[in-house]
Amino acid sequence: MKNSISQLDQAYEKCRKETQQWAKTFYLGTLLLPIQKRKAIWAIYVWCRRTDEIMDSIEASTKSQNELADDLDAWEENTKNVFKGDIKSDLDAVLVNTIEQYPQSIQPYLDMIEGQRMDLNKFRYSDFDELKLYCYRVAGTVGLMTQNVMGIDRAYTSAPWSAKPDPSEAAIALGIANQLTNILRDVGEDRQRGRIYLPQADLEKFNYSEEELLKGSINNQWKALMNFQLTRARDWFQKSEEGIKWLSSDARWPVWTSLRLYRGILDSIERLDYDVFNNRAFVKNSVKAFEIPICFLISRIK
């Protein structure tokens, strides 16, 4: 028994290291959670990363579309087995352990895999409605996966007459906001893979051509287009804020921190004068250090 516990702890530590390596801003927010919730979030993050890597890793770039489709099918089958308690690896084990502690639906996991399938043959998005569906599948689902880990403040649920708030829409909104931020930060990288996530209708609206984007042209039209995209992303962050007050007290500070730090990437894009073709926008450590106590205060008064 001691050995199995030790193996599970080692697997959680593997998840912690992977989260720290690949999601530094997100990882910082998780450190503000109690240890049990922290570990659960790391386990969910690593499942999401492995899902994403099926399509976006270096190895994936060498595979055919059919091979990638087969990999996604196999991963979906493995995920269904995990939710049945069928464990094949240490990372399966930590996800099963997380699901046992924080029961949840498999649907968001299947939806995320479906989002990866969109990347098999969809390289352009005609309008924001199409893009929003993609953003929900690959990121809004994360909000649904983690909301039971975060929990609801008992003040909203303990009394018989209390309303039972549903933070699902706010959780989805935060995921969509994060993904829109990723898209704006990664425009330069995505174009090299032949992908343009900015809606075609928006390119047309601001008279900025696909050819200019692929060349990395920065002009007034591009800046106006990006300003519009940043405003949209900030609107989705604003929508997500409405649900934080319902979360359990030990989750509000971490969520506010993650939200404000990730939204800070949008500020960084502005400081780069929208040149995301030659620069990668990020939040400086000094800004993170400044924001953490501010987020603590916000979590106590909002």
Side-chain angles (χ1 to χ4, degrees):
M1 183 67 178
K2 288 184 178 179
N3 185 46
S4 64
I5 294 175
S6 174
Q7 288 177 346
L8 192 63
D9 287 341
Q10 289 176 20
Y12 271 118
E13 175 61 10
K14 185 185 296 186
C15 292
R16 183 197 70 78
K17 289 180 177 178
E18 190 161 330
T19 308
Q20 181 184 34
Q21 178 182 359
W22 296 105
K24 291 179 174 58
T25 299
F26 176 75
Y27 176 72
L28 181 59
T30 67
L31 293 179
L32 304 176
L33 285 165
I35 184 62
Q36 186 175 353
K37 291 186 176 184
R38 193 185 308 174
K39 290 163 65 176
I41 296 297
W42 292 337
I44 292 170
Y45 169 80
V46 168
W47 181 90
C48 293
R49 175 164 173 77
R50 275 165 167 56
T51 306
D52 186 66
E53 287 290 282
I54 293 173
M55 290 298 299
D56 284 342
S57 65
I58 294 175
E59 181 184 359
S61 65
T62 67
K63 294 184 176 182
S64 68
Q65 190 178 78
N66 287 339
E67 289 174 317
L68 292 172
D70 289 344
D71 288 346
L72 286 170
D73 290 344
W75 185 243
E76 179 175 330
E77 188 63 27
N78 184 73
T79 300
K80 289 178 178 177
N81 289 335
V82 166
F83 269 78
K84 296 174 185 175
D86 184 0
I87 298 170
K88 294 182 180 178
S89 71
D90 55 351
L91 295 179
D92 287 348
V94 293
L95 188 57
V96 167
N97 185 249
T98 293
I99 295 166
E100 288 173 348
Q101 293 180 76
Y102 305 101
Q104 53 188 283
S105 168
I106 192 177
Q107 195 58 51
Y109 294 81
L110 300 181
D111 286 346
M112 178 174 281
I113 295 171
E114 199 60 36
Q116 298 301 320
R117 287 196 178 99
M118 291 175 74
D119 275 334
L120 280 172
N121 49 33
K122 192 168 183 61
F123 303 99
R124 302 290 187 274
Y125 290 81
S126 63
D127 54 30
F128 182 67
D129 283 341
E130 279 193 0
L131 182 62
K132 185 171 69 172
L133 174 61
Y134 174 76
C135 289
Y136 159 72
R137 285 177 172 171
V138 300
T141 49
V142 179
L144 298 180
M145 295 172 192
T146 57
Q147 67 177 355
N148 282 1
V149 179
M150 297 303 176
I152 300 293
D153 192 324
R154 289 194 72 250
Y156 293 100
T157 60
S158 56
W161 58 84
S162 296
K164 301 295 190 289
D166 183 0
S168 298
E169 289 303 316
I172 291 171
L174 181 55
I176 290 176
N178 287 342
Q179 185 60 26
L180 291 174
T181 301
N182 288 342
I183 286 169
L184 298 177
R185 180 194 61 194
D186 298 339
V187 168
E189 295 177 20
D190 289 332
R191 64 174 174 151
Q192 295 173 355
R193 294 182 293 180
R195 296 177 185 168
I196 297 177
Y197 291 103
L198 300 184
Q200 298 291 298
D202 293 349
L203 294 178
E204 183 177 344
K205 176 180 178 180
F206 288 93
N207 195 29
Y208 187 80
S209 69
E210 183 175 306
E211 290 72 23
E212 287 175 303
L213 191 152
L214 294 174
K215 291 177 182 177
S217 299
I218 299 174
N219 51 29
N220 290 335
Q221 290 93 324
W222 169 251
K223 293 178 182 180
L225 169 63
M226 284 294 282
N227 180 266
F228 177 79
Q229 304 299 321
L230 264 65
T231 298
R232 175 186 282 152
R234 287 179 173 129
D235 286 345
W236 280 93
F237 277 117
Q238 183 68 39
K239 291 176 185 177
S240 72
E241 289 183 13
E242 298 171 7
I244 301 178
K245 63 180 180 291
W246 294 329
L247 300 180
S248 59
S249 59
D250 60 13
R252 290 195 292 268
W253 183 20
V255 173
W256 269 113
T257 300
S258 294
L259 185 156
R260 286 176 61 89
L261 291 183
Y262 221 82
R263 186 167 57 191
I265 295 173
L266 301 176
D267 299 332
S268 178
I269 291 173
E270 286 180 330
R271 285 192 292 272
L272 293 171
D273 203 20
Y274 308 109
D275 184 4
V276 289
F277 298 111
N278 303 298
N279 302 279
R280 183 173 178 83
F282 66 95
V283 177
K284 294 180 179 179
N285 288 334
S286 59
V287 174
K288 293 178 182 178
F290 180 75
E291 277 286 343
I292 289 175
I294 291 177
C295 292
F296 176 79
L297 292 174
I298 293 173
S299 72
R300 292 300 180 265
I301 63 178
K302 281 200 173 186

